[in-house]
Amino acid sequence: MKRLIVGIGGVTNGGKSTLSQSLHQLIPSSCIITQDSYFKDDSVVPVDSNGFKQYDTINALHMDKMMTTVDSWRTDPDSFLRQRGRNVERSPKDAGISVLLVEGFLIFNYRPLIDLFDKRYFLEIPYDVCKRRRSSRVYNPPDPPGFFDGYVWPMYLKNRREMEGITSEITFLDGQKPKEELLAAVYEDVCQEIDRLRGEATA
């Protein structure tokens, strides 16, 4: 069984979840692990000097638990799916290949995880688009006044600089493009990698 791990990262409200879910629907044997599922309890997330909760840091996440989940999939992808009530379905396109989609805003800022990715995609959108999209969403807890300009965007820029210092093997995607266009491009790229892996398996 060949394994393919795809990382889908990017700025907040850049379209990570939409792309991941759409890709998952096109690849029946795939599975999604979402970084947002590993946030620590709000009570232990520290507050900065401006009174803003510091959610956008690796320390706000249970990365050890996330890595345990990823390693469980790597050990036996089919068993991983069955344990989560998923039937193992494979199309002729992905027969013999298991695909893991890892989605999150800081997945490329954690070196143990970065090293596992076969493909890396990063969705980016400009400041004004990001702020508009963020303001239209409802968060629990809700964003306090000034949170985007005072914390979210500055932390995005900081984390992005850090990411670019860790790895250069990332495909950047314009999150303003139609979601169908983004999906088609990434799906084609992933399918080419699946074909390459299948070729290795039959060689």
Side-chain angles (χ1 to χ4, degrees):
M1 175 67 68
K2 290 284 187 176
R3 293 158 178 75
L4 176 64
I5 303 182
V6 178
I8 300 176
V11 64
T12 178
N13 293 277
K16 301 181 298 295
S17 298
T18 299
L19 178 58
S20 300
Q21 290 291 341
S22 299
L23 199 59
H24 170 55
Q25 292 174 8
L26 293 176
I27 306 174
S29 67
S30 67
C31 178
I32 300 178
I33 294 176
T34 305
Q35 193 174 40
D36 281 0
S37 301
Y38 295 90
F39 271 109
K40 294 178 180 178
D41 188 84
D42 188 65
S43 63
V44 301
V45 177
V47 177
D48 69 9
S49 59
N50 295 314
F52 296 136
K53 284 276 190 177
Q54 295 181 281
Y55 296 112
D56 294 2
T57 68
I58 284 292
N59 290 334
L61 297 152
H62 288 291
M63 290 306 298
D64 53 340
K65 293 181 180 179
M66 185 175 183
M67 289 301 297
T68 297
T69 305
V70 172
D71 287 339
S72 176
W73 178 89
R74 293 173 66 213
T75 300
D76 190 336
D78 288 353
S79 175
F80 183 90
L81 290 175
R82 285 193 293 269
Q83 289 172 5
R84 285 155 179 76
R86 287 269 310 279
N87 292 323
V88 181
E89 304 174 15
R90 299 193 186 282
S91 68
K93 184 70 180 174
D94 62 351
I97 310 291
S98 287
V99 180
L100 178 64
L101 307 173
V102 181
E103 179 259 305
F105 70 112
L106 287 179
I107 59 172
F108 302 135
N109 292 74
Y110 190 67
R111 193 176 293 279
L113 186 57
I114 293 171
D115 294 340
L116 299 180
F117 292 125
D118 300 291
K119 305 293 291 186
R120 304 175 182 89
Y121 303 97
F122 189 93
L123 285 146
E124 52 185 354
I125 52 176
Y127 163 86
D128 56 334
V129 176
C130 187
K131 186 173 185 177
R132 184 172 66 250
R133 289 184 182 180
R134 177 99 182 187
S135 65
S136 68
R137 289 182 61 179
V138 177
Y139 288 87
N140 184 21
D143 285 352
F147 188 59
F148 184 85
D149 287 316
Y151 181 77
V152 174
W153 190 255
M155 283 301 296
Y156 161 66
L157 297 177
K158 176 179 181 293
N159 288 327
R160 176 166 175 155
R161 286 192 299 270
E162 179 184 279
M163 174 192 77
E164 291 173 340
I166 295 173
T167 180
S168 60
E169 298 178 3
I170 297 175
T171 299
F172 289 89
L173 304 171
D174 182 356
Q176 296 183 91
K177 288 184 177 180
K179 58 185 179 182
E180 297 82 7
E181 182 179 335
L182 289 170
L183 174 62
V186 173
Y187 181 59
E188 180 182 4
D189 197 32
V190 170
C191 285
Q192 288 177 357
E193 188 67 11
I194 290 173
D195 288 342
R196 187 187 68 79
L197 290 172
R198 184 179 294 108
E200 290 182 357
T202 58

